Every structure is written in C-alpha cells, then in structure tokens.
Amino acid sequence: GQQLNQSPQSMFIQEGEDVSMNCTSSSIFNTWLWYKQDPGEGPVLLIALYKAGELTSNGRLTAQFGITRKDSFLNISASIPSDVGIYFCAGQIRGGADGLTFGKGTHLIIQP
Amino acid sequence: DAGVIQSPRHEVTEMGQEVTLRCKPISGHDYLFWYRQTMMRGLELLIYFNNNVPIDDSGMPEDRFSAKMPNASFSTLKIQPSEPRDSAVYFCASSLGRRARSKSEETQYFGPGTRLLVL
C-alpha cells in the first residue's frame, strides 16, 4: 500500500523559532492534509490542500502541496508552547470519500 | 455538536477475551472510519463505511476483527479473541464525504480514541 515518509521524527526547538517538516510519497495523492494530535486526544485537522502547487496558511501555519503531488511541507512560524504535540501528514487519493494514509508523525518539543 | 463519541475511553482485558469498541459519528455524517494507532505502525485505516455499508475493509488485520454499522448513528469494532498485539489506540472518525458542498466540508473529524490494553 501507499506509504508517507515524514521527517523529521522529532524536533527540539526554542520558543519563538520557526519549524519546518515535510512528507514525501512514492505515490500520487490528490489531497494532502496536516493534522495535530495532543496527548490523549484524536488528530485535529490544521490545513487541507486540494491542488498541486497550492500554498495555504492558517495563522502561523503554512503548508504547500507539491507540484508532483508526491510531497507536502508544513511550516510553523514563531513557535509557542501550545504548538507542542505530534504533527501528522496525511494523503487521500479520491478526496473526501476516502480513508487517510498517514505519515509516522513529527514530535515537536518546545523549550521555553 | 458533541463531536465523534467513542466508548469506552480505556479498556484493559485479558488475552482471549472479546472486546467491543463503540462509536457514534457526528449527526448527518454518512462516512465512518476506524483507524488504529500503534508506536510501530503509526495510524492505519482499518475499515470505512458509507451509508452504513462497508466500502473498504482491506486494512482489517485478520478474521479476529469485525466491524458493523447497524444504523447511521452507531458502529462497533469487535476483536475476538483478543491478543496482546492488538493493544493500541483505536480511533473512529466521520465525515460528510461526497455530500459535502465544498472540499473543506469533507474533513474527517476524529473521536478521542479507545486505549486498549490486552494482557
């Protein structure tokens, strides 16, 4: 089946720093999504990308859908303590009526 | 809206016992998904339903796992008999799917998960 390679696995940063993480795939996905998971909770959608080349922002978060449809990145600017958590990329082939294929996650730890 | 509701939140059982996990999707959503999360394999899709009908169960690990959706507001995931390697967090998610009027309405909303430990 499809696999998403997400990197880095973990990041230890100082508050206020910018963060960048990415996902690559050997297969094409027609929708890319970024989720965040807090301890003891389910993943929550941060940003959804529907077109190749699309660049979308949500507050301090910016994500891009790669032109080849095989990759995506997520940037977080000026990190704050509540950004701590696990960030997952996910892809869909057929859009909304389709299960999600997830990356293994990036664990973000922020030192004050 | 209460969001996706899962029960129980935690389950500890012994190997060989039957386990039933429950999910109530968001009202009006006609797609329901079951995922499993482990340290080794991450988040994996197990099965999903559209209008109570299973569409893709290729992610179900083996015959010990079964899922049903008897009506639009309830689904179960059953493991019988359970084994220690089934220990994981099981998530249910729902979405409008193709009934969505826009792409943004196709979002999958996740429940809080059921943490299963099989001893």
Side-chain angles (χ1 to χ4, degrees), chain A residues 7 9-10 17 20 25 27 30 39 41 43 46 48 50-52 54 60 63 69 71 84 87 99-100 111-112:
Chain A
S7 64
Q9 283 188 326
S10 58
E17 286 185 25
S20 184
S25 170
S27 306
N30 292 307
E41 302 294 331
L46 298 173
Y50 304 109
K51 284 185 186 177
E54 180 181 354
R60 293 179 296 104
R69 291 188 284 163
D71 63 298
V84 166
Y87 292 79
L100 297 170
Q111 299 161 337

Side-chain angles (χ1 to χ4, degrees), chain B residues 22-36:
Chain B
R22 298 172 177 80
C23 175
K24 176 178 168 53
I26 292 173
S27 177
H29 284 190
D30 51 12
Y31 279 79
L32 184 140
F33 305 81
W34 283 100
Y35 294 87
R36 177 172 68 175

